[in-house]
Structure formats: structure tokens, C-alpha cells
Amino acid sequence: MSGSGGDPQCESNGNKRRKQDNGTPLERFDRKHLSVTDLSRQAWCEQQVVYGLELPHILHLRDDAPVVKAGSSIHLARELEIQDIVPINIESREDSWAVKLVNFLSMIQFLQAGERVRELPVFGEVEGILLVGVIDELCYSPSGELELRELKTRAQPTFPSAAQRKSHHLQVSVYKLLFEALVKGQLKKDTIVQHLQLQTERSFGSEVMLHAKRMGLFVNTFGELLDLIFLNLMYIEIPTIDVLKIEYCYQADASVIGMEVVRFEEKQVVKELKHYCSFWKGQREAQGVDIEEAWKCRSCDFADICQWREKKAEEAVERNRANHRK
């Protein structure tokens, strides 16, 4: 029996790198949309995001780490406190997005009734890119303010560093922008169809259709569901988000470390979004961390192969030589 004579993983990575020679990062990585967490990870280290896309098997190993599983368990427990999780068989991309939209509309109705919702899907267009996210929790305070609450779990019973909090602040701020654009009717049906390249006339799978009926939605195709969603968005009365909060929780025993209230600064958020999106649109190269934040590299899975890190080290050596020559 003959063999290929090479490591299939290396060959796969090589093919992916060759594929990246042309097109924008959105095109090279075949991304029809971005997640809000993609952008918050850019705030931590953009170069790390790129390596994660080029070498996804490395990230999959991290997903199996006990610390990651512990955080996921706490999130799941919170969700199950107020709602059940029903498994649904997905037969197409249209089905997958239909479940998100049905859940969104269902939760919006609960919000209208003054109730708390968790794991609320949000989506919208920013800088010509479709962004998708999931809000951990929306609820009303005793004074009637609508609060967004994001849960972050920690391996240590301490608050995160300022650099970590910066990415968390961006995440909840973008959630606010997306949610309010949705409830104000600023997102259009054609925008979703154009970005996702979905077939509006395709019928749903049987389980998705049944899920929609359970929620009181009698639709057969993705186009019908979109029409219903946007019709509802024209008439709903949902307030804007008044307060952004991040709750930090200790993974070992699920105890609360503390709560941080985030100040929403729209101009700064829009400026950051423009910067991060410019990479995805191919308007600039990916950037790693500055030398002042090189400490981040100690916990990075890609530190040993990072060309940005190597470049910065060479620049530092050259600066030292230049100083010695003076």
C-alpha cells in the first residue's frame, strides 16, 4: 500500500495558506459573517485571531480544556434556570438561521411582557459586514431600566486585567448597538439575504417547521420567516438598553467575584469597529500586540510560530544596537 509521504495536517495547513494569497480575509477564510467575539478577540490580539483561523485544530484542543468546559457549564446552568433547551435537527443553512430568528422573535415577546431572557441572538450590519452575537441576559431592573448582563467566568477568584476588560467592554457595547438597530427597524431583509446568500424560497426541515409552530409562527420558508420578523420589528415597543453590566464568576464554585458597570461611549465604539473591520475588508494587515503588552504572548498557543512576535523582537534588538552605536 502506497502512502502520501507527508503529514496530512501540514498539507492541509499549506493548502489553506496558499488559498489566503488572494482576496480579503473575509474571502480567504470563507466568512459570510463575523461574530462579536471575533472582534473582541481582535481587541486582545489580532494576530492570534488570524492564527486561530489558519490553524483551527489548535483552538479545538483548547475547547476541550477543563477550564473552558467549566465556564461553559456555568453558562448552561444559568440558561436552564429560565428556559429549556430543545434539540432540533438542522437540514440546511436556512434551517440553522431560522432557529436563530425564531428564538429571537420569541424572546422579544417575553421582553415586551417585562420578563427576563437569556441567550438572545442579535445580528446587524457594521461597516458593510454582518455581525452576529448572543446576549447572555436582558432583564428589567426594579426601576424599569433594561439591563444587559454579560457573564464572564474566571479560573482565579480575581477581576481580569485592564486589557481583558477592554475586550469585554467592546463586546457588550457592540451587543447594545446591534440590539438597538434591530428593535429600531434599521436592519433590512435584503441585507441578511445578501450577506448570508441564503435561499429564501427553500422550505424548512420538518423539525424546524414544528419548532416555529410551537412558537406560534406558521411559516414554511426562510423568506416567509424574514417577512414575519421584520413585520413584527415595525410594531414592537422595546426600550433601548440603559445599563451594561459584566458579572465575573469564579469557575471553581460558581461564586460571584463582582459586577462591573460599563460606560457606553458610542463614538469610541464606532471608531474601534471601523479599525477592526478594516482588517477583514483587506484594507490593512493584521497587527499583533505592542511591546508593552508582550506579556500576553505567555498564554498564547501560537507564540512559538508568531511572525509578528519575531519581527518585534528583531526590531528591539536593532534599536538596542543603534543606541549602543550612539
Side-chain angles (χ1 to χ4, degrees), residues 35-71:
S35 69
V36 176
T37 50
D38 285 327
L39 301 185
S40 64
R41 286 170 182 156
Q42 280 180 268
W44 176 259
C45 177
E46 194 168 72
Q47 186 64 64
Q48 186 183 70
V49 173
V50 175
Y51 281 127
L53 292 168
E54 293 178 348
L55 305 168
H57 62 287
I58 301 293
L59 293 185
H60 292 159
L61 292 174
R62 170 162 286 208
D63 289 341
D64 292 331
V67 65
V68 175
K69 289 184 176 181

Side-chain angles (χ1 to χ4, degrees), residues 160-281:
S161 66
Q164 287 174 306
R165 293 203 305 273
K166 176 185 176 183
S167 65
H168 299 162
H169 293 178
L170 176 65
Q171 184 178 354
V172 297
S173 296
V174 176
Y175 285 156
K176 174 178 166 67
L177 286 178
L178 294 179
F179 175 80
E180 293 182 355
L182 273 171
V183 298
K184 291 177 181 177
Q186 295 173 358
L187 181 65
K188 305 303 179 186
K189 171 185 173 180
D190 291 344
T191 301
I192 294 180
V193 174
Q194 177 185 349
H195 281 291
L196 298 178
Q197 299 174 19
L198 297 174
Q199 300 177 42
T200 56
E201 301 305 316
R202 180 166 184 164
S203 296
F204 296 137
S206 58
E207 291 194 20
V208 173
M209 206 172 296
L210 180 60
H211 176 60
K213 287 181 180 178
R214 287 196 190 107
M215 298 298 157
L217 307 178
F218 296 91
V219 290
N220 297 313
T221 67
F222 190 71
E224 291 176 2
L225 177 57
L226 281 177
D227 288 338
L228 187 58
I229 291 287
F230 285 99
L231 180 63
N232 274 268
L233 289 175
M234 288 176 60
Y235 297 104
I236 61 171
E237 294 183 4
I238 297 289
T240 56
I241 295 172
D242 301 295
V243 182
L244 301 175
K245 290 183 176 180
I246 302 175
E247 178 184 342
Y248 292 102
C249 181
Y250 184 33
Q251 291 172 350
D253 58 10
S255 61
V256 175
I257 299 169
M259 185 85 73
E260 180 180 13
V261 177
V262 178
R263 180 180 176 183
F264 180 68
E265 300 181 4
E266 185 171 359
K267 288 184 179 179
Q268 178 61 28
V269 173
V270 171
K271 179 181 177 181
E272 290 183 45
L273 286 175
K274 187 177 184 65
H275 172 71
Y276 294 132
C277 289
S278 66
F279 159 71
W280 293 102
K281 294 191 290 186

